Amino acid sequence: MRVTLLGAGDTTGTPTVGCDCDTCAAARERGVERTRFSVHVENERTGESLLIDFSPDFRQQFLRDAVSLPDAAVITHIHFDHLHGLGNAFRVFDSLPVYAADETDPATGESVAETVADQYDYLDPLEVRPTTPLEPVRICGLDVTLIPVDHPPLVCYGLAVEDPETGTKLSITGDTSYDVPDESRTVLADPDLLLADAIVPASLCEHHPIGGRHEDAAGVSRTFGTKHMTREGALALAEELGAERTRLVHVAHFYPADEAFEEPLAVDGERYVL
């Protein structure tokens, strides 16, 4: 299983358009980016590949990293930075199965699968396949499980991607607070590689209108506001899950410049073979 981090950033990316903060300036100086979140997973045994989330930066990411066009895709939730690159399928794909959860979201009155089908009904190549969370489905020769996480007010899912022949496993928390349900933690556990949402360091919780949540014994917030984990929360979750290797993703440009490129914060283009 070959994993390429096409986009390791949050909804505005780093550098952020029109921003001259020290972190964005440092990214430009280093020649690194964190575009909007997307992960490419190649099954080297079958020659097939799976795309997790369609970043608005799809075109730039695929040209830059020279990965193969996916044979299938998974959409974790309907926020702009994870879904709206799907329009790039126009004139690029002859056909593309797109897997998304079949659970009805109380906030929207429809499932992620239904929203994707409704918003992109003009794209003939798309075949939206409603998928039941916590039930593995074979995609591109890999066992993929959608995992409910906590990203209010919308439903959102993480993923476990396992190779049934080698036993290697990629876990992705998805956009989530630290309050990941126990059943989901069980499915995410013991990955060879964990990609964990870590939007900012806990020290920045004081700048959020409602502060931080899910404090540890030392009072360090593991959730920033309500929707995302802090760096400290993501690392705590990684330890609890027994991750062999962890990369922090969905990273915002609000990290102080002297922390923004420290391990294990990911940048675009990283590749891992599991």
Side-chain angles (χ1 to χ4, degrees):
M1 192 190 310
R2 185 185 300 272
V3 179
T4 303
L5 304 184
L6 297 177
D10 71 336
T11 190
T12 66
T14 303
T16 292
V17 173
C19 182
D20 61 358
C21 74
D22 290 344
T23 298
C24 288
R28 295 185 184 100
E29 290 169 3
R30 291 167 177 251
V32 298
E33 291 184 297
R34 291 184 174 123
T35 56
R36 273 71 69 89
F37 183 78
S38 187
V39 181
H40 184 273
V41 181
E42 180 184 355
N43 183 342
E44 296 172 294
R45 289 186 294 99
T46 67
E48 298 171 291
S49 62
L50 169 67
L51 184 66
I52 299 163
D53 284 341
F54 255 87
S55 166
D57 300 304
F58 173 92
R59 179 179 179 275
Q60 173 190 355
Q61 292 170 345
F62 273 77
L63 289 174
R64 180 196 64 206
D65 292 331
V67 292
S68 60
L69 286 173
D71 298 284
V74 177
I75 302 297
T76 61
H77 66 297
I78 62 171
H79 277 154
F80 160 79
D81 51 325
H82 296 257
L83 171 61
H84 287 321
L86 195 52
N88 287 278
F90 183 64
R91 294 182 181 170
V92 173
F93 296 94
D94 294 326
S95 64
L96 183 70
V98 177
Y99 296 79
D102 62 3
E103 294 179 319
T104 299
D105 186 339
T108 66
E110 59 184 13
S111 67
V112 174
E114 289 170 328
T115 298
V116 172
D118 289 347
Q119 291 192 10
Y120 292 95
D121 61 346
Y122 63 91
L123 291 176
D124 292 336
L126 299 189
E127 178 193 344
V128 179
R129 298 186 179 181
T131 304
T132 301
L134 296 173
E135 293 185 6
V137 59
R138 183 68 56 86
I139 310 173
C140 299
L142 302 170
D143 290 335
V144 179
T145 307
L146 284 166
I147 302 164
V149 290
D150 180 52
H151 191 56
L154 300 178
V155 296
C156 182
Y157 302 87
L159 289 172
V161 182
E162 298 184 66
D163 187 321
E165 292 198 13
T166 66
T168 56
K169 180 176 179 180
L170 165 68
S171 290
I172 302 174
T173 68
D175 287 15
T176 185
S177 78
Y178 178 76
D179 193 24
V180 177
D182 289 342
E183 188 173 17
S184 297
R185 289 177 183 238
T186 298
V187 181
L188 288 169
D190 301 317
D192 297 278
L193 176 64
L194 173 69
L195 303 180
D197 172 14
I199 195 164
V200 295
S203 60
L204 296 188
C205 287
E206 62 180 291
H207 300 293
H208 194 285
I210 65 171
R213 300 168 61 215
H214 305 129
E215 292 84 2
D216 64 15
V220 176
S221 295
R222 292 175 287 196
T223 296
F224 179 70
T226 62
K227 296 182 180 183
H228 296 277
M229 286 189 287
T230 61
R231 173 183 57 197
E232 290 78 0
L235 292 175
L237 181 63
E239 183 175 357
E240 293 163 17
L241 295 178
E244 182 173 325
R245 185 164 194 176
T246 301
R247 303 302 289 166
L248 303 185
V249 296
H250 211 278
V251 174
H253 72 127
F254 299 116
Y255 273 83
D258 61 350
E259 301 177 26
F261 304 100
E262 293 182 343
E263 292 292 323
L265 298 177
V267 296
D268 288 10
E270 295 183 4
R271 299 177 192 262
Y272 299 92
V273 177
L274 308 183

